[in-house]
């Protein structure tokens, strides 16, 4: 999953949908054929109104009621998502076509009794959100995340499955990690977990395909751009793929020897990225040309998950349960380290400039170092604690306001933890780096697959460095707690300067907006801001600052621009009908940036240039 949206922590292909302790078998070797015990037919007779009509059939059903249901969670998502809300007009028949009674005792599924060993359930699905979690159906495409699309039945976790897609448009082609059968439009899956982990796009997309390391890579691009745009983007994708394979030494062993990038870049889509075992689904509202191929960042992030999360997997996500949220305290590594390597692979592939890379890294470092959610006095501010908050923030919706001071996203948090570890390893252990740590995790937990615990991660760092004391100190301070190192000397090794971006500028914190003609604070200020200390909170209207009456945004911006560090200034504001007065002590702007030493007039040494090249590439 990617950054602010969520990415998939998708699942091992043979795991059951509900708890099971014994390891499940590897995938069956071939198409189960038309007599597969589970069959789906997915058609789109009312695509213009965002509807699919789906029939699911189970054979050899034992005597007694069959429970069928929609998932409440999805591979790569950590919060609850109520997919059953989009299902209606549900009917059931037996093998002879006779109607069967459906009993619904909860919001998530149905019970079917009185069958003859075969149960066929037909239903309508509404879907109009195109991202990595939901389904979007319209005249241009069918963009399907399987947990949002397909009912499943308890007790059929390990059975092979066939899926027939009936396109709404003859021009539509199918893009999926599901292996194809000999029948047109028909695909198969070895079991339920693999099926639910297999997003599928039906559209008139452009396909680019290439070989790398003995595997086939496919880019299925549904977009408003040209064939030349697709060619250019595919060439960049090839370079990123090659760079990441070089890091691990070999491609991930894809189950059917291929990996599929499903990319939707359309105005009516929702921006997202979601990884899966042998594919990813990535989306953006912008065209490639309009975004200057910026979508490559999401592609790189999701592809790195081929190793980190899809095969180097937290044990706390095993097995994946479709009926509840699936939490883990290891998202700082699963998502955060992936966020570190996504842009780093692009830089090493020569597809971003040093200034661009450092500009984005500096913004992320600033956001974490100055984030009040990870202040050292907090007892619940560690990367592990933030990982466990995922079910509350991973596209979850609550109607009550959320305090912005209590959460630092495990994506950038983990990215900065990765930066800290990488630079410390390069400093203390010549010839070693975070690359070596990831390769060790791959050898011990990815190939062959052996899900890891937090203790395993600590032990691997001790093994890689040969220094258990270093590993313990790092985990005790920066993983179990929220202490980060001084980044200035670490970055200086590469001839980079960490500095305040605007040290002479006054700063009081907070973001303003205009509501009802008044300038108001858009959200609760951070705890380390002068506005917070003065008692100003979300929704408060600013009436005056430093004696200047605030009547519009321009007046506010002009008054705020005149502030200087250390200055004491009066502020008057209206809070829930009451006017209040306070005195602000203006701080220096704490915003950090990373710049090459050359920018400051200094020339990096030969050692610094060599360090920079080894880390960031030429």
């Amino acid at each position: 999953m990617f950054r602010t949206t969520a990415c998939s922590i998708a699942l091992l292909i043979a795991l059951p949908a509900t708890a099971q302790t014994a390891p499940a078998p590897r995938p069956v070797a071939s198409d189960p054929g038309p007599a597969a015990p589970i069959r789906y037919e997915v058609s789109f007779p009312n695509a213009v109104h965002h509807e699919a009509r789906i029939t699911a059939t189970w054979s050899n059903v034992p005597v007694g009621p069959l429970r069928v249901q929609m998932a409440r969670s999805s591979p790569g998502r950590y919060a609850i998502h109520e997919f059953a809300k989009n299902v209606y007009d549900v009917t059931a028949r037996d093998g002879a076509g006779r109607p069967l009674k459906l009993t619904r005792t909860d919001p998530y599924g149905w019970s079917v009794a009185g069958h003859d060993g075969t149960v066929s359930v037909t239903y309508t699905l509404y879907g109009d959100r195109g991202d990595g979690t939901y389904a979007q159906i319209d005249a241009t495409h069918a963009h399907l995340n399987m947990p949002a699309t397909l009912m499943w039945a308890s007790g059929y976790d390990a059975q092979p499955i066939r899926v027939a897609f009936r396109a709404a448009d003859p021009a539509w082609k199918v893009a999926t990690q599901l292996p194809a059968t000999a029948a047109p439009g028909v695909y198969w899956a070895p079991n339920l977990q693999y099926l639910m982990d297999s997003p599928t796009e039906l559209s008139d997309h452009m396909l680019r395909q290439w070989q790398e390391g003995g595997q086939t890579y496919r880019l299925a691009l549904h977009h408003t751009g040209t064939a030349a745009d697709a060619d250019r983007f595919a060439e960049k994708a090839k370079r990123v793929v090659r760079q990441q394979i070089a890091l691990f030494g070999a491609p991930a062993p894809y189950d059917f020897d291929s990996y599929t990038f499903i990319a939707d870049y359309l105005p009516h889509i929702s921006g997202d990225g979601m990884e899966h075992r042998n594919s990813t689904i990535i989306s953006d509202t912008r065209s490639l040309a309009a975004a200057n191929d910026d979508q490559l960042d999401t592609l790189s992030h999701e592809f790195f998950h081929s190793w980190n999360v899809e095969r180097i997997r937290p044990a706390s996500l095993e097995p994946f349960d479709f009926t509840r949220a699936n939490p883990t305290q290891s998202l700082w590594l699963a998502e955060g380290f992936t966020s570190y390597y996504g842009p780093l692979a692009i830089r090493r592939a020569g597809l971003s400039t040093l200034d661009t890379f450092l500009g984005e890294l500096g913004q992320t470092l600033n956001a974490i170092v100055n984030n009040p959610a990870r202040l050292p006095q907090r007892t619940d501010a560690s990367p592990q604690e933030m990982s466990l908050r995922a079910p509350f923030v991973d596209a979850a919706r609550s109607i009550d306001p959320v305090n912005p001071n209590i959460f630092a996203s495990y994506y950038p948090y983990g990215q900065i933890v990765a930066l800290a570890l990488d630079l410390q390893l390069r400093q203390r252990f010549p010839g070693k780096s975070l690359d070596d740590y990831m390769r060790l995790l791959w050898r011990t937990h990815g190939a062959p697959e052996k899900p890891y615990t937090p203790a395993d991660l600590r032990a691997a760092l001790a093994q890689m460095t040969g220094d258990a004391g270093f590993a313990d100190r790092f985990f005790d301070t920066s993983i179990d707690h929220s202490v980060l190192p001084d980044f200035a000397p670490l970055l200086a090794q590469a001839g980079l300067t960490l500095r305040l971006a605007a040290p002479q500028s006054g700063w009081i914190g907070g973001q303003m907006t205009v509501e009802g003609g008044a300038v108001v604070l858009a959200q609760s200020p951070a705890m380390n801001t002068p506005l917070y200390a003065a008692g100003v909170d979300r929704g408060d209207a600013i009436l005056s600052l430093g004696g200047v009456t605030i009547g519009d945004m321009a007046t506010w911006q002009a008054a705020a621009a005149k502030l200087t560090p250390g200055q004491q200034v009066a502020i008057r504001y209206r809070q829930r009908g009451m006017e209040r007065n306070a005195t602000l002590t203006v701080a220096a702007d704490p915003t950090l940036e990373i710049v090459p030493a050359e920018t400051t007039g200094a020339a990096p040494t030969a050692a610094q240039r060599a360090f920079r090249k080894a880390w960031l590439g030429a």
Side-chain angles (χ1 to χ4, degrees), residues 340-579:
Y340 178 69
Y341 274 105
L344 183 57
I346 294 172
R347 169 63 194 154
R348 288 175 173 175
L351 294 170
S352 69
T353 66
L354 179 64
D355 287 344
T356 297
F357 176 82
L358 294 180
E360 294 174 353
L361 182 63
Q363 290 177 5
T364 305
L365 179 62
N366 171 71
I368 294 303
V369 169
N370 289 318
N371 194 313
R374 52 157 299 276
L375 294 176
Q377 60 266 33
R378 285 273 302 275
T379 59
D380 57 353
S382 72
Q384 292 189 134
E385 288 283 346
M386 297 305 170
S387 296
L388 287 173
R389 295 191 69 85
F392 306 140
V393 299
D394 181 29
R397 294 183 178 272
S398 301
I399 61 173
D400 59 322
V402 176
N403 187 340
N405 292 306
I406 63 175
F407 178 69
S409 171
Y410 41 83
Y411 285 93
Y413 201 167
Q415 182 178 351
I416 296 309
V417 168
L419 172 68
L421 181 55
D422 198 1
L423 295 181
Q424 288 180 87
L425 289 171
R426 293 172 186 273
Q427 179 188 57
R428 295 174 58 93
F429 306 97
K432 293 185 178 181
S433 70
L434 193 66
D435 297 354
D436 297 288
Y437 183 59
M438 295 307 299
R439 284 190 283 265
L440 178 59
L441 291 180
W442 174 242
R443 293 193 301 271
T444 55
H445 295 283
E449 295 174 40
K450 179 185 175 184
Y452 64 79
T453 66
D456 292 328
L457 299 178
R458 183 187 294 244
L461 186 58
Q463 177 185 341
M464 193 272 289
T465 60
D467 189 337
F470 171 81
D472 285 341
R473 285 190 300 275
F474 179 80
F475 271 81
D476 289 344
T477 58
S478 296
I479 305 302
D480 297 339
H481 296 89
S482 61
V483 179
L484 292 172
D486 182 355
F487 282 96
L490 293 174
L491 291 164
Q493 300 175 97
L496 305 176
T497 299
L498 178 65
R499 67 185 187 185
L500 293 173
Q504 304 304 317
S505 297
W507 177 82
I508 58 175
Q511 181 180 351
M512 300 297 169
T513 188
V514 175
E515 292 181 9
V519 175
V520 303
L521 189 58
Q523 65 175 16
S524 298
M527 290 184 289
N528 53 351
T529 62
L531 277 174
Y532 186 95
V536 187
D537 209 318
R538 176 179 56 87
D540 293 353
I542 309 302
L543 304 179
S544 68
L545 181 67
V548 177
T549 300
I550 305 301
D552 53 36
M553 185 62 74
T555 307
W556 164 262
Q557 291 171 341
K562 295 178 181 177
L563 301 177
T564 57
Q567 177 185 0
Q568 290 195 325
V569 61
I571 185 170
R572 185 164 57 92
Y573 57 97
R574 184 171 56 250
Q575 186 177 80
R576 302 195 172 186
M578 297 179 62
E579 290 193 11

Side-chain angles (χ1 to χ4, degrees), residues 320-339:
F320 194 88
D321 187 342
F322 293 115
T323 67
R324 62 173 180 86
N326 287 255
T328 175
Q329 62 183 163
S330 298
L331 293 182
W332 60 270
L333 185 134
E335 294 292 358
F337 278 35
T338 301
S339 293

Side-chain angles (χ1 to χ4, degrees), residues 52-138:
R53 193 67 175 160
I54 300 169
T55 296
T57 300
W58 292 269
S59 302
N60 305 317
V61 180
V63 175
L66 178 70
R67 163 77 176 183
V68 298
Q69 61 194 26
M70 292 296 291
R72 302 187 68 206
S73 60
S74 180
R77 298 245 71 116
Y78 312 109
I80 289 291
H81 297 273
E82 303 292 12
F83 299 123
K85 72 182 187 299
N86 290 321
V87 169
Y88 50 99
D89 191 15
V90 185
T91 61
R93 294 184 178 276
D94 66 11
R98 293 182 291 263
L100 295 173
K101 182 181 178 181
L102 285 159
T103 303
R104 190 172 192 176
T105 56
D106 61 63
Y108 317 114
W110 298 258
S111 178
V112 188
H115 55 79
D116 59 359
T118 296
V119 174
S120 290
V121 177
T122 300
Y123 59 96
T124 296
L125 173 78
Y126 179 88
D128 193 24
R129 182 176 173 86
D131 61 7
T133 307
Y134 296 97
Q136 183 172 69
I137 302 155
D138 57 38

Side-chain angles (χ1 to χ4, degrees), residues 285-322:
T285 58
R286 302 167 297 171
S287 68
L288 289 168
N292 195 27
D293 295 345
D294 187 52
Q295 293 92 339
L296 193 67
D297 195 23
T298 310
L299 181 146
S300 182
H301 177 104
E302 302 306 333
F303 184 62
F304 194 81
H305 277 312
S306 296
W307 296 271
N308 189 29
V309 145
E310 292 302 335
R311 290 163 178 86
I312 306 172
R313 250 180 104 63
S316 46
L317 290 180
E318 300 296 313
F320 194 88
D321 187 342
F322 293 115

Side-chain angles (χ1 to χ4, degrees), residues 228-287:
D229 291 334
D231 292 340
R232 182 187 66 250
F233 191 66
E235 288 303 315
K236 293 181 178 180
K238 290 179 187 178
R239 291 169 65 175
V240 168
V241 166
R242 195 171 300 128
Q243 185 60 232
Q244 295 192 16
I245 291 174
L247 189 153
F248 285 99
Y254 302 117
D255 296 303
F256 298 98
D257 299 321
S258 66
Y259 185 91
T260 303
F261 297 97
I262 302 172
D264 283 271
Y265 302 140
L266 303 163
H268 56 275
I269 207 80
S270 300
D272 200 4
M274 188 68 69
E275 76 280 1
H276 297 273
R277 186 169 170 87
N278 304 302
S279 65
T280 182
I281 195 158
I282 47 184
S283 55
D284 198 304
T285 58
R286 302 167 297 171
S287 68

